[in-house]
Amino acid sequence: MRSQYIWSIVLFFPLLIVQTTIVPLIAIHGVVPDLIMVLLVYYSMSCGQIYGTVLGFIYGLLFDLITGSLLGSTMLSKTLAGFIAGYFSNENKRENYFKSYIFMLIVFLCSVVDLVVSSFFSSIDLNTSLVRLLFEQGILPGIYTAVLGIFVIMFYPKRSIS
Amino acid sequence: MFRFFSTVWENFKEYIILVILLIISLITMSLNQKPAARKVRSLAFGSFAAFTSVISDVVNIGGLKSDNASLRKLNAELMLQVNELRKYGIENAELKGLLGLKDTTNLPLIAGTVVSKSLSRSQGTYTLNIGKKNGVEPGMPVINDHGLVGIVNSTSNNFSIVRTLKNLDLKLTVQDERSRVEGIMKWNGADLVMIDIPKTYDIEPGDRIETSQLSSIVDIPIPVGSVIGLSKVETGIFNEVKINPFVDFIKTEHVFVVAIVESKIEDGEQLNFYKRKISKINK
């Protein structure tokens, strides 16, 4: 379990490099997936809700510092996303979640919450249609991120060593 | 009492931790403009950008071939235009000489490459591989061959962060090139818009929009985009003008920083807040 804690932090940096250099190349009409979210959901489900919440906070802090976003906005949204993902860390069902499309649904749910909260705290203009904002800034990137969650399902070991 | 707190902690520790972390996040948001936060940020993105620049170089090599082909075509087209403009240039220089005017069109440009992009819908930012050592300062406009990309927001020694036009925190005064109508342009999270334009003003789809001389941040005319339509036409006394930016923010790789931070002083007050920030740092 302790090695998982270390890996969750170590993996963040190469993934952030990929997120900021390669992921923009696969954007569809400006919609980009969030690889960090897939990692966060994976570790929140593996290590529990408290760890997921704290990990979301750390990921958000590092992301805000490194990318120049409004400091605190991603911290807040990723903390909430990690907390929600942690709800699905039930030891008995975890294996089933990781091996099925349910993992993608969890990634989608957490992504939407993350994106909507992050947009809200970045002071989105409320004159713009909220339904449109929810769709364009929450659901579309959420679907794209969830699709990338399929890699976790594909490469998750058949029998977990731990 | 201890038992009470112990029970509460045991039953609600997930929620207590969540609330504490959310409060810390909210407090952090209010510290964004503090110099200490800026220092930590420039240190963080400066060290990280060193790694991303290596990856970015490798990724960009793939696109060099197609870039070269399109640049060759552009070169040929520009050569024809230059030939035409040269004639006007000679005539212009003669006329300026007659009137005693100085040429003020030579702007200092610093070439840079985008090493990482954060393309969130509300906080679009780029990290460039040029910083303080190259003469880059917060407030300098960033352009490419299509038009305005954004404004430099913070710098470290070797890197700088640029707020693109698709960033909620960037607002600029712009004008319609044809009718000279001026307005504030901002990103509303979905579109680039000119806000509070009276319905009687002459703005039409297809008009080119450029930065205005009234702007306290960018007072040189740099193309921004073209008008694609008006919204809020049915209600109120103001229109909102939707603008399609000339720059493709996803594909942009090479940019130029215009090495000027305009000084706009009115009644002894510096209107360009980037200039105020630089003065504070120098003090």
Side-chain angles (χ1 to χ4, degrees):
Chain A
M1 185 63 95
R2 190 170 291 171
S3 70
Q4 274 198 319
Y5 292 162
I6 297 165
W7 275 112
S8 62
I9 299 295
V10 171
L11 280 175
F12 172 79
F13 293 99
L15 216 59
L16 186 59
I17 292 177
V18 174
Q19 177 72 35
T20 54
T21 53
I22 297 168
V23 167
L25 301 176
I26 56 164
I28 302 170
H29 292 291
V31 175
V32 284
D34 184 359
L35 297 182
I36 308 296
M37 179 53 64
V38 180
L39 191 70
L40 175 62
V41 172
Y42 177 80
Y43 279 108
S44 299
M45 288 171 67
S46 302
C47 304
Q49 194 169 29
I50 292 178
Y51 186 73
T53 313
V54 176
L55 191 67
F57 178 81
I58 295 169
Y59 280 2
L61 171 65
L62 292 171
F63 188 88
D64 283 338
L65 281 175
I66 289 168
T67 61
S69 313
L70 178 74
L71 199 60
S73 62
T74 320
M75 268 162 88
L76 193 132
S77 61
K78 289 260 190 293
T79 304
L80 267 177
F83 179 78
I84 292 168
Y87 266 118
F88 302 93
S89 64
N90 185 322
E91 277 185 43
N92 300 322
K93 295 179 181 171
R94 195 182 293 158
E95 295 278 313
N96 294 335
Y97 289 156
F98 281 133
K99 287 177 192 167
S100 68
Y101 66 91
I102 297 174
F103 180 75
M104 289 168 72
L105 288 178
I106 298 167
V107 171
F108 172 71
L109 174 71
C110 295
S111 285
V112 172
V113 171
D114 171 53
L115 292 159
V116 169
V117 172
S118 154
S119 301
F120 181 76
F121 278 95
S122 307
S123 66
I124 283 281
D125 185 357
L126 290 176
N127 289 327
T128 316
S129 160
L130 283 176
V131 178
R132 190 181 159 195
L133 281 184
L134 182 71
F135 185 71
E136 286 186 350
Q137 300 188 26
I139 293 175
L140 286 183
I143 291 172
Y144 204 170
T145 307
V147 168
L148 288 194
I150 204 163
F151 289 106
V152 174
I153 301 169
M154 279 164 62
F155 295 110
Y156 190 76
K158 294 286 179 223
R159 278 174 188 272
S160 174
I161 295 162
S162 59
Chain B
M1 186 62 112
F2 176 75
R3 185 173 288 176
F4 170 73
F5 282 117
S6 175
T7 319
V8 170
W9 170 253
E10 276 306 316
N11 290 330
F12 300 105
K13 59 185 170 196
E14 291 88 358
Y15 297 94
I16 294 169
I17 289 170
L18 175 72
V19 170
I20 290 170
L21 294 181
L22 291 183
I23 290 170
I24 294 173
S25 306
L26 288 170
I27 292 169
T28 313
M29 267 192 235
S30 65
L31 301 176
N32 258 283
Q33 298 304 323
K34 298 269 180 199
R38 288 180 165 273
K39 264 187 189 168
V40 173
R41 177 178 280 183
S42 76
L43 195 74
F45 84 74
S47 359
F48 188 76
F51 293 101
T52 39
S53 64
V54 177
I55 306 289
S56 167
D57 284 347
V58 175
V59 172
N60 286 346
I61 285 169
L64 282 182
K65 208 173 174 182
S66 60
D67 274 0
N68 272 343
S70 60
L71 284 175
R72 269 193 215 106
K73 190 181 168 216
L74 192 69
N75 243 354
E77 286 168 1
L78 287 175
M79 186 267 290
L80 295 171
Q81 271 186 33
V82 165
N83 225 17
E84 189 70 17
L85 290 173
R86 195 168 281 150
K87 280 192 289 180
Y88 297 128
I90 293 165
E91 201 178 305
N92 193 27
E94 279 174 11
L95 291 171
K96 271 186 177 170
L98 287 173
L99 292 168
L101 291 176
K102 283 180 184 173
D103 196 350
T104 54
T105 54
N106 288 331
L107 295 168
L109 298 178
I110 306 167
T113 306
V114 178
V115 293
S116 77
K117 296 171 187 172
S118 172
L119 295 176
S120 91
R121 296 287 287 197
S122 53
Q123 300 275 327
T125 56
Y126 285 165
T127 306
L128 304 185
N129 67 345
I130 43 175
K132 279 181 207 159
K133 277 185 184 170
N134 308 88
V136 179
E137 284 179 6
M140 290 180 173
V142 180
I143 59 170
N144 70 0
D145 53 330
H146 294 103
L148 186 67
V149 174
I151 304 288
V152 175
N153 187 48
S154 50
T155 53
S156 68
N157 281 335
N158 299 308
F159 298 95
S160 43
I161 284 189
V162 177
R163 275 181 181 160
T164 68
L165 296 183
K166 291 187 172 183
N167 189 309
L168 289 165
D169 296 321
L170 182 62
K171 296 175 183 75
L172 286 174
T173 312
V174 293
Q175 68 180 8
D176 186 308
E177 202 180 60
R178 179 184 58 83
S179 62
R180 319 310 284 174
V181 168
E182 278 158 334
I184 305 289
M185 182 191 70
K186 65 171 193 174
W187 174 249
N188 67 10
D191 296 301
L192 205 57
V193 289
M194 266 170 91
I195 52 167
D196 297 339
I197 303 295
K199 288 187 186 298
T200 51
Y201 280 19
D202 175 22
I203 292 189
E204 286 171 8
D207 282 358
R208 282 169 63 91
I209 303 295
E210 60 182 20
T211 48
S212 161
Q213 287 184 339
L214 290 182
S215 172
S216 58
I217 301 174
V218 190
D219 71 352
I220 43 173
I222 301 173
V224 173
S226 59
V227 175
I228 47 173
L230 306 173
S231 56
K232 297 184 180 172
V233 179
E234 302 84 7
T235 55
I237 54 169
F238 295 115
N239 277 338
E240 203 174 70
V241 179
K242 281 190 188 175
I243 301 167
N244 183 30
F246 290 135
V247 173
D248 184 339
F249 293 95
I250 292 170
K251 289 181 181 164
T252 299
E253 283 167 10
H254 304 284
V255 294
F256 293 96
V257 174
V258 183
I260 47 163
V261 183
E262 286 299 333
S263 181
K264 278 262 167 131
I265 298 172
E266 239 171 65
D267 301 331
E269 183 80 18
Q270 178 59 258
L271 297 180
N272 186 349
F273 67 91
Y274 282 112
K275 195 81 180 172
R276 284 205 295 262
K277 260 193 309 199
I278 295 166
S279 316
K280 264 186 195 171
I281 291 164
N282 291 339
K283 275 177 194 172

